[in-house]
Amino acid sequence: MKSFRKTICRFFCFVLLFSLILLPGCDSGPKADTDQSVTETFEELLAADYQVDYLIFGDGLELDLEALGELDPRDYAPVTTQEYTTRAGLEKRLKEVYALDETVKGLLSAKDSEGRERLQVRDGALWRATATSAFPYETVEGSIVLRSRTDTAASFVFEETGLDGSLYETALSISKTARGWRLNGTRKDAQRTLLREGSGEDSAIPAGAARKAAEEFLAAFQSGDVSAISQAIGYGNDTTVWQQMKVTAAEITAAAEDLDSYGDYTVRLTVEDGAGVFPEGTGDYRLLLSCNEMRWGGDRPIPWYFRPASEQHLETRWSDSLDEKEWAPALAVSDFIGWFGQQIFTTPEELPPETLVEYAMIRTQPEDPEMVFTPQEIDAAIQRLFGITGFDGKQTKFYSKEKNGYLIWGRGGSFYNTLTPKPKTANGQSQVDVTLYRDPLCTMKLRTVRYTMAENEDGSWRFVSAIPVE
């Protein structure tokens, strides 16, 4: 009887086990991807990408603002968010989102629109710039479409709106790595196709705002209405010189770009009195307007460049395709001015040692992942940038005796109102004339400095002198 019961029990156990094996979803292997599951994964990765941008560029990381020291005037502070207090913690999160190491490295060394590093490592701790910026695009709900898929790759398109309400079709792909599905790049850098310029009443920038601002500026200029000029040219511009000018005609005759938030216009101008800024007579001028909340403190297009069309300046490089080789000396000078202002020196040895060391660190990538620059790295950089050999900066505030290296404290650059024509280059030397102005539209001249640059064997440029000229 006991033997019979054992046999029956074994039989039912075998049946139950066999049934479980045959039940759907009970196989031991991984589930196959479907179009729906891959699309859902892509949506999750898009959300993760937004979080990453918020961590690095926005307010996603909590900061200890009380730790700001004398060398960090409201620029950087240590991260206190527990899982991201070190670079390794943030790097781990990035590798959960992106397939390519170069994407991860690019985010960890990301800079803002003014060229300032977003993240710094100090004594093993992660610090982040305190200034923040918003993500410039918003995904249109329900617009994600799977374009193609294989077992290891999938591509998608979806719609986004920009800050000015413009509508874009954005393409982004994912790859299946050993760690799972990952984005092949950031959404901010994805390929976009403009579907509609500007938008309706919900747009942050009203339709036609750039042209309207341009026309208001020109009308105020022609009428001589000081109050209207002040309103049109925005914060930071002085109307003193504009009041002295007299024009009898000002009309937009062409538009290279005529968007809501940005305008690039050719203006036919007749000048009777240019107040030493514009030549008298009738001629074509170039007028550029854009929105720049960081500089102008507003969300409307503001004129920021207005010069005779025959002139060409480095300052319009964001709008023009300049020859990088021809303009390389000027780009080097502009970068230096952005960090240290318009310093004067007959030889680079006259510059403060702190300036030499700090700029060397700004323009060098150290081998140490903790961002400790060796004396050899600094010496080589200063020789490349300033032609100074055998430099010893151990007496500067950036040198750490404990680490036998230099530590970059991190700070932001500054805005300077300048006009820089094309460099005069010959026989391995270049002259770069930079004129500094009191106002953003460059009507109130302060001084012109001539920078002499010498070309290195690798094609880079080093500073020789910076002398005021009439």
Side-chain angles (χ1 to χ4, degrees):
M1 188 68 165
K2 288 181 180 179
S3 175
F4 175 76
R5 286 177 179 174
K6 287 182 179 179
T7 301
I8 292 295
C9 183
R10 288 172 182 168
F11 173 76
F12 279 111
C13 287
F14 173 78
V15 171
L16 178 61
L17 177 63
F18 185 72
S19 300
L20 289 172
I21 292 173
L22 294 180
L23 280 174
C26 290
D27 58 283
S28 59
K31 294 182 181 180
D33 289 319
T34 65
D35 287 355
Q36 180 178 346
S37 67
V38 172
T39 300
E40 290 174 352
T41 299
F42 178 72
E43 292 175 347
E44 293 171 359
L45 288 171
L46 277 187
D49 174 85
Y50 179 84
Q51 182 212 30
V52 167
D53 190 274
Y54 187 53
L55 290 174
I56 296 175
F57 294 94
D59 275 328
L61 294 174
E62 295 181 0
L63 305 178
D64 180 10
L65 297 179
E66 294 182 359
L68 289 176
E70 185 177 331
L71 294 175
D72 303 283
R74 302 182 306 279
D75 282 327
Y76 291 84
V79 173
T80 57
T81 304
Q82 185 173 359
E83 59 268 42
Y84 302 124
T85 54
T86 65
R87 186 179 188 273
L90 183 58
E91 184 175 3
K92 178 178 179 292
R93 176 54 179 154
L94 299 184
K95 288 183 176 180
E96 294 172 350
V97 181
Y98 304 103
L100 304 176
D101 288 340
E102 62 188 62
T103 304
V104 173
K105 291 178 181 177
L107 285 166
L108 291 173
S109 60
K111 297 182 179 181
D112 62 20
S113 59
E114 306 306 322
R116 295 173 292 195
E117 291 183 328
R118 296 296 305 163
L119 305 170
Q120 294 281 348
V121 176
R122 305 179 186 179
D123 295 326
L126 186 67
W127 289 49
R128 199 210 68 199
T130 57
T132 61
S133 62
F135 194 81
Y137 302 100
E138 183 175 346
T139 304
V140 176
E141 187 175 354
S143 67
I144 296 175
V145 176
L146 174 64
R147 277 287 174 86
S148 64
R149 181 172 74 86
T150 67
D151 290 341
T152 58
S155 62
F156 295 83
V157 294
F158 52 96
E159 292 182 353
E160 293 180 302
T161 54
L163 293 177
D164 67 345
S166 295
L167 183 66
Y168 301 87
E169 181 182 73
T170 304
L172 196 56
S173 62
I174 58 176
S175 295
K176 195 166 190 179
T177 70
R179 306 185 304 271
W181 288 100
R182 299 290 188 269
L183 289 172
N184 288 328
T186 66
R187 181 156 70 101
K188 184 178 286 184
D189 295 328
Q191 179 182 350
R192 289 179 175 79
T193 302
L194 181 65
L195 300 178
R196 184 195 67 233
E197 209 291 316
S199 72
E201 57 187 4
D202 294 331
S203 172
I205 308 298
R211 178 173 285 267
K212 180 181 179 183
E215 291 173 343
E216 289 176 348
F217 163 65
L218 295 173
F221 187 20
Q222 185 174 348
S223 68
D225 186 331
V226 176
S227 177
I229 291 175
S230 179
Q231 174 68 22
I233 62 180
Y235 172 79
N237 277 291
D238 193 299
T239 61
T240 302
V241 178
W242 295 98
Q243 296 178 53
Q244 301 170 10
M245 298 184 196
K246 183 178 181 181
V247 299
T248 57
E251 180 184 5
I252 296 175
T253 58
E257 293 282 357
D258 193 10
L259 309 179
D260 295 343
S261 59
Y262 176 81
D264 184 350
Y265 305 104
T266 299
V267 176
R268 192 70 171 170
L269 196 68
T270 299
V271 181
E272 286 192 3
D273 186 348
V277 176
F278 298 141
E280 280 76 25
T282 299
D284 289 333
Y285 287 69
R286 187 181 187 189
L287 173 61
L288 297 173
L289 305 91
S290 65
C291 295
N292 188 330
E293 177 115 11
M294 185 176 292
R295 184 163 195 193
W296 311 128
D299 56 0
R300 64 186 179 93
I302 295 292
W304 60 270
Y305 182 86
F306 189 46
R307 302 294 300 176
S310 59
E311 297 180 5
Q312 188 177 27
H313 296 104
L314 177 70
E315 286 69 23
T316 66
R317 63 188 179 275
W318 311 117
S319 304
D320 301 332
S321 298
L322 301 179
D323 187 308
E324 289 191 11
K325 187 174 182 180
E326 287 185 342
W327 288 86
L331 286 166
V333 170
S334 176
D335 182 68
F336 182 78
I337 291 174
W339 290 101
F340 302 100
Q342 210 177 39
Q343 298 201 32
I344 304 300
F345 52 93
T346 57
T347 175
E349 283 85 351
E350 296 176 4
L351 287 167
E354 279 79 7
T355 297
L356 298 174
V357 171
E358 187 175 16
Y359 194 57
M361 290 190 289
I362 290 171
R363 303 303 301 165
T364 304
Q365 181 64 39
E367 291 291 334
D368 188 346
E370 295 291 318
M371 297 295 288
V372 178
F373 297 78
T374 66
Q376 294 77 17
E377 287 174 327
I378 294 301
D379 180 51
I382 289 177
Q383 183 174 346
R384 174 173 51 86
L385 294 165
F386 300 103
I388 300 173
T389 58
F391 179 82
D392 183 1
K394 292 182 179 179
Q395 301 304 314
T396 67
K397 61 190 176 186
F398 299 107
Y399 180 74
S400 168
K401 186 176 180 180
E402 177 186 352
K403 295 183 178 292
N404 188 29
Y406 297 86
L407 305 178
I408 188 167
W409 290 92
R411 65 176 179 87
S414 299
F415 291 110
Y416 292 94
N417 306 311
T418 59
L419 287 178
T420 310
K422 182 180 288 189
K424 297 176 181 178
T425 304
N427 302 320
Q429 282 213 331
S430 184
Q431 287 185 345
V432 182
D433 289 348
V434 182
T435 303
L436 181 69
Y437 293 85
R438 183 176 292 121
D439 60 316
L441 276 172
C442 298
T443 65
M444 305 177 73
K445 178 179 175 180
L446 295 174
R447 67 180 178 182
T448 298
V449 174
R450 175 166 295 161
Y451 293 81
T452 299
M453 309 290 288
E455 189 172 13
N456 295 315
E457 291 184 359
D458 63 358
S460 63
W461 292 86
R462 65 181 183 272
F463 290 85
V464 176
S465 63
I467 308 298
V469 296
E470 292 298 329

